[in-house]
Amino acid sequence: MAILEKAPAKLNLGLRILGRRPDGYHDILSVFQTVSLFDELSLSLSDATRLECDFPGVPSGFENLVLKAADCMKPHIKTGSETAFRLVKHIPVGAGLGGGSSDAAAALRGFSRLHDIDAQDSIQRDCAGKLGSDVPFLLHGGTAVLRGRGESFEPVVWPFDFLYVLVYPGFGVSTAWAYGSLTDFFDDGGAYEAMTGKLVTGTLNEEDFFRVLLNDFEPVVVEKYPVIGEIKTMLTGLGARAALMSGSGSTVFGIFNDAPSAEQCADVMRKRFADVFVVKAV
């Protein structure tokens, strides 16, 4: 028997870095949203735990989060069965789209299904928290307001019908480098937090949403990789209502209200960049 899990990419619809914590991590405030760009992870019973993935740059050893997820779940198996994973990547690596974390969340879900683990939700949540800050959210996806290290999240109903044009410039950005390069933290007077409050209460309108879209990583990342700033300018010039970097980069996305405008923009961007996707919230 084989199990198939789809692992969606995520976008940061704004990302505020509020400060450094005593434990060395940073407090963030961000709206996370899963979108319709997926990796595919298949799982089957095997005589040995292993991972196959032919995507360049993806490790297949136990440093991969998929196998770390399996290692965390393994004590809860009732039999001695091992698990074979096959990962088909569509989400670019190091792109600020949470691909590795989403693959780990897919591994947790699929492992529970394959091995019929009881009380799977609580076990999955415990393992997710050990694997990374984004993994707990990506277990279920949707849209949520994330705080702290990202481990604390509040699911919300997304009120808009946007389409997003994602542009990956062909290289990744190290999250550790991006955090390490931050020297200042920005204060917008609580405007972004007020927007997230309206999102939680179901009173957010488009004007309030677009007014506060910022990613605090952008200044340091664009300084080192100017093409990211060029992509933002291109997207807005092609009709995007806003353009923003996701996470610590390197993917930039433009926000559109209708499919023809989004597809037309994507066609133009594909003349320069190989990895361009039109997606929606899922």
Side-chain angles (χ1 to χ4, degrees):
M1 178 181 67
I3 295 291
L4 178 64
E5 285 284 345
K6 297 177 75 174
K10 65 86 185 167
L11 294 181
N12 293 90
L13 302 176
L15 176 57
R16 307 312 312 266
I17 312 297
L18 305 180
R20 187 186 296 274
R21 297 154 51 111
D23 61 8
Y25 290 94
H26 290 74
D27 280 318
I28 71 167
L29 177 63
S30 181
V31 176
F32 275 38
Q33 184 172 89
T34 48
V35 295
S36 56
L37 172 64
F38 302 93
D39 288 346
E40 297 174 347
L41 183 68
S42 61
L43 306 84
S44 57
L45 298 177
S46 176
D47 58 353
T49 297
R50 60 180 179 273
L51 170 64
E52 296 179 12
C53 181
D54 56 6
F55 194 91
V58 176
S60 58
F62 276 87
E63 68 273 30
N64 190 291
L65 284 176
V66 168
L67 293 185
K68 288 184 177 181
D71 191 53
C72 187
M73 296 290 286
K74 194 173 179 179
H76 304 284
I77 299 177
K78 297 176 182 177
T79 67
S81 299
E82 302 289 337
T83 309
F85 297 90
R86 178 167 179 77
L87 178 61
V88 178
K89 290 288 292 178
H90 299 287
I91 303 171
V93 176
L97 298 176
S101 294
S102 194
D103 295 340
L108 294 174
R109 294 192 302 267
F111 197 99
S112 295
R113 292 171 57 202
L114 182 68
H115 296 283
D116 193 25
I117 296 176
D118 293 331
Q120 56 180 319
D121 280 350
S122 61
I123 295 170
Q124 287 178 26
R125 287 195 300 270
D126 180 61
C127 286
K130 297 175 182 177
L131 293 169
S133 299
D134 296 352
V135 183
F137 162 73
L138 287 162
L139 270 178
H140 300 288
T143 305
V145 177
L146 274 77
R147 302 175 184 274
R149 288 174 51 190
E151 77 287 354
S152 174
F153 64 93
E154 185 172 3
V156 297
V157 175
W158 183 240
F160 308 124
D161 224 3
F162 298 142
L163 291 171
Y164 307 104
V165 175
L166 277 56
V167 181
Y168 173 66
F171 58 85
V173 173
S174 164
T175 300
W177 169 83
Y179 272 109
S181 299
L182 293 173
T183 55
D184 296 307
F185 303 105
F186 305 95
D187 181 4
D188 65 357
Y192 187 82
E193 184 163 13
M195 181 275 289
T196 64
K198 290 182 179 181
L199 179 58
V200 169
T201 59
T203 59
L204 181 64
N205 59 48
E206 290 189 8
E207 182 181 353
D208 288 340
F209 172 72
F210 283 110
R211 186 186 300 122
V212 299
L213 278 186
L214 294 170
N215 182 332
D216 289 342
F217 280 119
E218 281 189 5
V220 295
V221 176
V222 170
E223 182 178 7
K224 184 173 181 179
Y225 304 102
V227 68
I228 291 175
E230 294 173 22
I231 293 171
K232 287 189 62 177
T233 301
M234 292 175 69
L235 287 169
T236 54
L238 289 166
R241 296 189 63 183
L244 200 68
M245 189 176 73
S246 184
S248 58
S250 58
T251 297
V252 179
F253 62 94
I255 307 176
F256 292 82
N257 282 107
D258 63 276
S261 298
E263 294 290 353
Q264 185 176 20
C265 172
D267 287 342
V268 174
M269 298 303 293
R270 289 185 182 112
K271 295 177 181 178
R272 180 172 173 185
F273 301 98
D275 294 306
V276 179
F277 312 92
V278 179
V279 303
K280 62 182 180 180
V282 294

